[in-house]
Amino acid sequence: MSESRKQAWQALKDQPAETLTQLFAADPDRVAKLSARLAIGPGSILFDWSKTHLTDGLLDGFEALAEAADFTEMRRKLFAGEVVNPTEGRAAEHSALRGVGKEASVEEAAALLARMQLLVEAIHEGALGEVRHLIHIGIGGSALGPALAVDALSRDLALVDVHVVSNIDGVALEAAFARCDPATTLVAVASKTFTTTETMTNATSALKWLAENGVSDPYGRVIALTAAPEKAVEWGVDETRILPFAESVGGRYSIWSSIGFPVAMAVGWEDFQAMLDGAAEVDVHFRDTDGRANLPLRAAFADLFYSRLRGAQTRAVFAYDERLRLFPSYLQQLEMESNGKSVTAEGKPVDGPTAPITWGGVGTDAQHAVFQLLHQGTHLVPVDFIASIAPGDELDPAHHRILLMNCFAQGAALLVGRSAEDPARAYSGNRPSATILVDDIDPATLGALIAFHEHRTFANAVLMDINPFDQFGVELGKEMSNKIDRGLSNFDASTIALGEAAGLG
Ligand code: F6P
């Protein structure tokens, strides 16, 4: 670690430890200082980090760390389309799809999106006959973003009924078949590489299902979403139905590209564009704001305070909104696949823990299941709450009022705790949380929420000196799975026994 980084971490360690109650009592401006509102589309998002332990001293210290980590230069490189993924020699240009980035990349992205818009609108207008269902086949970043956005945004009125299938377990694909009419179904094959075993196996089975159910030209019902269009052609998809995206867009950052096709199919182009625009507003904030006022960076300061200085091994995210029920699983890939690393960007062992384990769920369900541990367990778990002021339902307003009351009460209870004579009934309090409160869940705020977390992830990586854009940790298991196919003999005794028991030997 560089001398300046070491000094910055030491200064952070030397900061006094105060409880949240003390921090609120000592500073009447705490909420004003640590919460901020970003205008997004027609609404806004409030980011309240006041219930974390961040102080002026810690913020000074983290700003010094950001300087030692060359954060400003790394951010410039990110938006300039320069190499920020050194192990693969690549840029990371997902923001170009939102219109923010290197000019040439923004233009290229706009052209690809224009092509996607033409196809989406043509299909909506009947160019491929009646289309009532879309089976979207992809995995990881090629599935989690589409699943989240379709689920969040098309509950009231989906223009097309979308089924996202990721698992190689045929049960998943069969469930989609059972709910689709083959004569009015399109199949989107979403894979950056167009080689992923799960996706290609599922896609082949989907074609077979179409053929066996009276569709005379199954390939004519396929749309390929990929950064490897030549592979899609080889596989049999006609070029007019291939929607490419740039190699410099990482899988877990690809919802903005043609991987977002099912979202545009479900909500229409205007709303898909609004999602990109909402994300762009966060890009501009992240690109142009310095120090603690930069909200994704500020969130990363708090993340690192807990993971590196307080030993938190996990961070929990609870969406107090049914429309965001898939947000925690989306974040798991974004954060853990990006920052679950053991070496620095230069390939040296890291000097502290990297990404905590991201987990979470939906409020209020989670309160009746896992919140016991958050309030009284022995682990320190920083919590993020995400909620919407506007309801997603049209039932008695009591539903949404109770939902929000519960969300805010949980943060307050974690903060203050409660003393009791009976130790089993006592709450220590002083447990941190952050709250993200959106005016409403709409395409723009969803785009902004996702972009906020992308940049938070990047900021964490820069401060930890790791590369968030590769994922070599997923390779070994894939290779060994192929090896099992060739024979069990070179495996450990346990794996051989399991394989033989299941008849794989
Ligand atoms: O195995 C991990 C991974 O490469 C992810 O990074 C990616 O999102 C997913 O697999 C799917 O990859 P592809 O889009 O190339 O099928």
Side-chain angles (χ1 to χ4, degrees):
M1 192 185 329
S2 74
E3 211 37 56
S4 54
R5 270 181 196 262
K6 262 189 212 153
Q7 279 171 11
W9 277 115
Q10 193 50 53
L12 283 163
K13 281 182 195 148
D14 293 342
Q15 284 295 311
E18 287 163 289
T19 66
L20 290 170
T21 312
Q22 286 167 338
L23 293 173
F24 274 97
D27 187 356
D29 291 335
R30 185 166 178 79
V31 175
K33 277 185 191 162
L34 286 166
S35 63
R37 189 178 286 282
L38 272 190
I40 302 292
S44 70
I45 306 183
L46 178 69
F47 295 85
D48 179 2
W49 255 247
S50 65
K51 292 195 192 79
T52 70
H53 290 81
L54 289 178
T55 59
D56 289 338
L58 281 168
L59 289 164
D60 290 343
F62 275 112
E63 284 178 351
L65 176 69
E67 203 175 321
D70 236 351
F71 172 76
T72 307
E73 172 60 7
M74 289 301 289
R75 180 181 58 180
R76 187 199 62 74
K77 282 187 173 174
L78 176 74
F79 287 108
E82 292 178 22
V83 171
V84 285
N85 174 357
T87 51
E88 296 176 301
R90 278 188 200 151
E93 299 194 278
H94 40 284
S95 71
L97 288 151
R98 306 168 324 210
V100 183
K102 184 168 85 178
E103 208 180 311
S105 308
V106 168
E107 276 170 23
E108 189 195 328
L112 291 173
L113 286 172
R115 195 166 154 213
M116 174 176 161
Q117 178 180 2
L118 279 180
L119 184 61
V120 166
E121 291 179 344
I123 297 172
H124 280 149
E125 281 158 20
L128 296 183
E130 190 189 3
V131 174
R132 284 178 29 219
H133 311 279
L134 173 66
I135 300 183
H136 174 92
I137 296 174
I139 198 163
S142 296
L144 290 162
L148 164 67
V150 167
D151 192 54
L153 302 178
S154 70
R155 288 177 165 249
D156 298 337
L157 183 72
L159 298 175
V160 172
D161 163 46
V162 175
H163 299 266
V164 176
V165 176
S166 50
N167 202 340
I168 185 67
D169 185 341
V171 170
L173 194 55
E174 274 181 353
F177 292 161
R179 293 166 64 193
C180 296
D181 161 20
T184 57
T185 298
L186 283 188
V187 174
V189 182
S191 174
K192 179 174 176 184
T193 54
F194 228 75
T195 57
T196 303
T197 306
E198 291 89 335
T199 300
M200 299 324 297
T201 308
N202 278 330
T204 303
S205 295
L207 282 180
K208 192 162 172 251
W209 171 75
L210 289 174
E212 286 171 357
N213 287 279
V215 175
S216 55
D217 173 22
Y219 279 98
R221 308 300 286 168
V222 173
I223 315 288
L225 320 170
T226 184
E230 68 294 343
K231 294 227 169 65
V233 171
E234 234 171 78
W235 193 74
V237 189
D238 188 85
E239 264 179 272
T240 55
R241 276 174 286 95
I242 298 176
L243 295 174
F245 63 96
E247 186 63 47
S248 58
V249 174
R252 55 194 170 276
Y253 301 87
S254 63
I255 170 80
W256 324 101
S257 71
S258 60
I259 296 293
F261 173 77
V263 186
M265 284 299 295
V267 301
W269 190 263
E270 208 179 297
D271 279 2
F272 183 72
Q273 184 62 53
M275 188 177 88
L276 301 183
D277 294 344
E281 296 194 64
V282 176
D283 288 330
V284 170
H285 165 81
F286 183 67
R287 186 193 63 190
D288 297 346
T289 311
D290 287 328
R292 67 196 67 184
N294 183 313
L295 299 175
L297 181 63
R298 180 192 291 180
F301 290 166
D303 295 339
L304 288 172
F305 172 74
Y306 293 114
S307 63
R308 289 223 159 171
L309 298 175
R310 291 284 178 96
Q313 293 184 326
T314 81
R315 184 170 71 82
V317 181
F318 295 99
Y320 272 68
D321 201 295
E322 190 68 15
R323 293 166 291 179
L324 294 181
R325 65 190 173 144
L326 299 181
F327 203 72
S329 50
Y330 177 82
L331 270 192
Q332 285 185 316
Q333 187 198 16
L334 176 63
E335 299 187 346
M336 297 204 282
E337 194 167 83
S338 296
N339 287 348
K341 307 285 167 64
S342 296
V343 294
T344 66
E346 297 78 36
K348 309 229 167 65
V350 290
D351 38 47
T354 58
I357 295 154
T358 308
W359 63 285
V362 181
T364 58
D365 298 20
Q367 286 174 211
H368 300 274
V370 297
F371 271 47
Q372 164 65 36
L373 179 148
L374 297 179
H375 287 287
Q376 288 190 315
T378 51
H379 296 276
L380 166 66
V381 185
V383 176
D384 282 4
F385 296 106
I386 307 178
S388 164
I389 296 173
D393 67 284
E394 288 172 3
L395 300 182
D396 185 331
H399 284 269
H400 201 65
R401 187 177 159 75
I402 296 170
L403 180 71
L404 289 184
M405 288 190 312
N406 271 277
C407 177
F408 303 153
Q410 291 301 325
L414 288 166
L415 189 164
V416 290
R418 183 169 70 194
S419 50
E421 268 177 33
D422 176 358
R425 291 182 164 77
Y427 294 69
S428 65
N430 195 30
R431 295 176 185 236
S433 66
T435 304
I436 300 177
L437 186 60
V438 304
D439 287 355
D440 197 1
I441 308 288
D442 57 32
T445 52
L446 180 68
L449 273 177
I450 297 174
F452 169 83
H453 285 90
E454 287 176 350
H455 292 316
R456 176 184 189 169
T457 302
F458 173 76
N460 265 289
V462 172
L463 299 178
M464 292 187 290
D465 192 18
I466 61 175
N467 173 7
F469 297 117
D470 64 12
Q471 62 282 321
F472 294 114
V474 302
E475 300 299 336
L476 181 58
K478 288 185 198 172
E479 281 164 28
M480 289 180 79
S481 158
N482 289 335
K483 243 190 193 173
I484 291 185
D485 206 24
R486 297 196 293 274
L488 282 161
S489 54
N490 289 328
F491 281 84
D492 61 89
S494 161
T495 308
I496 292 172
L498 289 167
E500 284 175 354
L504 300 183

